[in-house]
Coordinates of all heavy atoms in Angstrom, one line a residue:
V189 N 11.4 -28.7 1.3 CA 10.7 -28.2 0.1 C 9.5 -29.2 -0.1 O 9.6 -30.4 0.1 CB 11.6 -28.2 -1.1 CG1 12.6 -27.1 -1.0 CG2 12.2 -29.5 -1.4
G190 N 8.4 -28.7 -0.6 CA 7.2 -29.5 -0.8 C 6.0 -28.7 -1.2 O 6.0 -27.4 -1.1
V191 N 5.0 -29.4 -1.7 CA 3.7 -28.7 -2.0 C 2.6 -29.6 -1.4 O 2.6 -30.8 -1.5 CB 3.5 -28.7 -3.6 CG1 2.1 -28.2 -3.9 CG2 4.5 -27.7 -4.2
Q192 N 1.6 -28.9 -0.9 CA 0.4 -29.6 -0.4 C -0.9 -28.9 -1.0 O -1.0 -27.7 -0.9 CB 0.3 -29.5 1.1 CG -0.9 -30.2 1.7 CD -1.0 -30.0 3.2 OE1 0.0 -29.7 3.9 NE2 -2.1 -30.2 3.8
T193 N -1.7 -29.7 -1.6 CA -2.9 -29.2 -2.2 C -3.9 -28.8 -1.1 O -4.0 -29.6 -0.1 CB -3.6 -30.2 -3.2 OG1 -2.6 -30.5 -4.2 CG2 -4.8 -29.7 -3.8
V194 N -4.6 -27.7 -1.3 CA -5.6 -27.3 -0.3 C -7.0 -27.3 -0.9 O -7.1 -26.7 -2.0 CB -5.2 -25.8 0.2 CG1 -6.3 -25.3 1.1 CG2 -3.9 -25.9 1.0
T195 N -7.9 -27.9 -0.2 CA -9.3 -27.8 -0.7 C -10.2 -27.4 0.5 O -9.9 -27.6 1.6 CB -9.7 -29.2 -1.2 OG1 -9.5 -30.2 -0.1 CG2 -9.0 -29.6 -2.4
P196 N -11.4 -26.8 0.2 CA -11.9 -26.5 -1.2 C -11.1 -25.3 -1.8 O -10.4 -24.6 -1.1 CB -13.4 -26.1 -0.9 CG -13.3 -25.6 0.5 CD -12.3 -26.5 1.3
C197 N -11.3 -25.2 -3.1 CA -10.5 -24.1 -3.8 C -11.4 -23.5 -4.9 O -12.0 -24.2 -5.7 CB -9.3 -24.8 -4.4 SG -8.3 -23.6 -5.4
A198 N -11.5 -22.2 -4.9 CA -12.3 -21.5 -5.9 C -11.5 -21.2 -7.2 O -12.0 -20.7 -8.1 CB -12.8 -20.2 -5.3
S199 N -10.2 -21.5 -7.2 CA -9.3 -21.3 -8.3 C -9.0 -22.7 -9.0 O -9.5 -23.7 -8.6 CB -8.0 -20.6 -7.9 OG -8.3 -19.4 -7.3
A200 N -8.2 -22.6 -10.0 CA -7.7 -23.9 -10.7 C -6.9 -24.7 -9.7 O -7.0 -26.0 -9.8 CB -7.0 -23.6 -11.9

Side-chain angles (χ1 to χ4, degrees):
V189 293
V191 172
Q192 177 184 345
T193 302
V194 174
T195 56
C197 177
S199 301

